[in-house]
Amino acid sequence: MPRPSVRGKLVDAGYETLFSQGFQGSSIQDITEAAGVPKGSFFNHFKTKEALVLEALARYEEVGRGDLLFDETKPPLQRLRQHFEFLADRLEGWDFNRGCMIGNFATEMADAYPVVREALLGALTRWTDAVASVLRSAQTAGEIDPRHDADLLARFLVNGWEGAVIRLRIVRNRQPLDEFFAICFGMLLK
Amino acid sequence: MPRPSVRGKLVDAGYETLFSQGFQGSSIQDITEAAGVPKGSFFNHFKTKEALVLEALARYEEVGRGDLLFDETKPPLQRLRQHFEFLADRLEGWDFNRGCMIGNFATEMADAYPVVREALLGALTRWTDAVASVLRSAQTAGEIDPRHDADLLARFLVNGWEGAVIRLRIVRNRQPLDEFFAICFGMLLK
């Protein structure tokens, strides 16, 4: 493996630090220290801390196993469940910390940072569209009612997930996610 | 009206500042400046900035029109709708900024501030319990299926609201809230 570049180290450290401490809670010094690079090197690679937020968000999308939604060896609803189970297991592995980076930055930055808001809109739209696509496949496969509006239902599911993650951070257990599965797969997706 | 005390001014200013700028984004100086009181006076009234977060959360609960849920002159589902419509109109009035204070502090503070997390748990539980109580009344009144688990459904509704608020901050329009109403009152609450 090639040695990671300074820029690569900053992206790795920025992803971890911004995710666990938030934007305001992460100083540039926190990030350069976590990266093991000189503080002054930050601005050789990024104009602002917001620019690193965009990289962290892109990384978050990359590692979110969106591919599970498109594993065509499995029936559509099973793919959908596996995608959310991946996210649930990851949250549990983080001891119910961190939450969802999209929800976090939406909460902390969407009002005041239009460029971040645009990036969040892209990430949220791609995720929701992927879920809608699986729902349409589930309709074609006869797994759910073809009369549902797949796009509307996908937005509602993703929102429900985001809200379950908020409750999870307060209650510190899997119950909100387990209930998301129970209601979505038990009541909504029929 | 009595002249507001320094403490009262700090609570008023803390509510506004912490809500619009977040915990990390609000310095004590931001709060004392907004309150029009000397910076040094803060610590005469609050040990920490977290202590003011607890006051802001209590204020948020007070002004959330939970009473609309218990207006027994109206049928239960109508009360539920009016409660969420109050919240929706308020978010629109804020130009889709601010979001929900419970979701905001859950995102920013629940991991690292156990005392705030406890207060969030109280606020979220009281809100959810009030919604569950209305759902039980709706079951008694024959408005929704008595076989639903009202507590489970209440948690899911409140989570769905929180997630819709996250999407709203990204898309900057009412659509996520309108869709929450459409799916909750059109599909779930039957």
Side-chain angles (χ1 to χ4, degrees), chain B residues 9-30:
Chain B
K9 287 179 185 173
L10 284 167
V11 173
D12 290 348
Y15 176 80
E16 295 295 327
T17 308
L18 291 163
F19 202 1
S20 53
Q21 298 173 206
F23 178 72
Q24 299 274 5
S26 302
S27 68
I28 287 177
Q29 189 166 347
D30 289 340

Side-chain angles (χ1 to χ4, degrees), chain A residues 6-16 35 46 52 55-56 59:
Chain A
V6 170
R7 188 179 192 286
K9 288 178 184 173
L10 284 168
V11 173
D12 290 347
Y15 175 79
E16 295 295 328
F46 300 100
L52 192 57
E55 296 289 334
R59 167 77 56 93

Side-chain angles (χ1 to χ4, degrees), chain A residues 19-21 24-25 96-99 102-112 117 120-122 124-125 128 148 151-156 158-160 162-164 166-167 169-172 175-176 179-180 182-184 187-188, chain B residues 19-21 24-25 96-99 102-112 117 120-122 124-125 128 148 151-156 158-160 162-164 166-167 169-172 175-176 179-180 182-184 187-188:
Chain A
F19 202 0
S20 52
Q21 301 174 204
Q24 299 274 4
F96 311 110
N97 290 311
R98 295 197 168 197
I102 295 172
N104 295 356
F105 286 142
T107 299
E108 196 182 356
M109 302 186 73
D111 295 357
R117 187 185 79 77
L120 289 166
L121 184 60
L124 184 66
T125 304
T128 308
H148 288 315
D151 292 295
L152 170 65
L153 208 48
R155 289 191 290 273
F156 188 78
V158 169
N159 296 354
E162 289 296 313
I166 284 183
R167 185 179 293 268
R169 297 184 75 175
I170 295 176
V171 300
R172 318 304 282 184
Q175 186 182 355
E179 294 183 349
F180 171 86
I183 294 202
C184 290
M187 282 177 73
L188 275 173
Chain B
F19 202 1
S20 53
Q21 298 173 206
Q24 299 274 5
F96 311 110
N97 291 313
R98 295 197 168 200
I102 296 172
N104 296 356
F105 287 141
T107 299
E108 196 182 357
M109 303 187 73
D111 294 357
R117 187 185 78 77
L120 289 165
L121 183 60
L124 185 65
T125 303
T128 308
H148 288 315
D151 293 295
L152 171 65
L153 209 48
R155 288 191 291 272
F156 189 80
V158 168
N159 296 354
E162 288 296 311
I166 285 183
R167 185 179 293 268
R169 298 185 74 174
I170 295 175
V171 300
R172 321 301 284 183
Q175 186 183 352
E179 293 183 349
F180 171 86
I183 293 203
C184 290
M187 282 177 72
L188 274 174

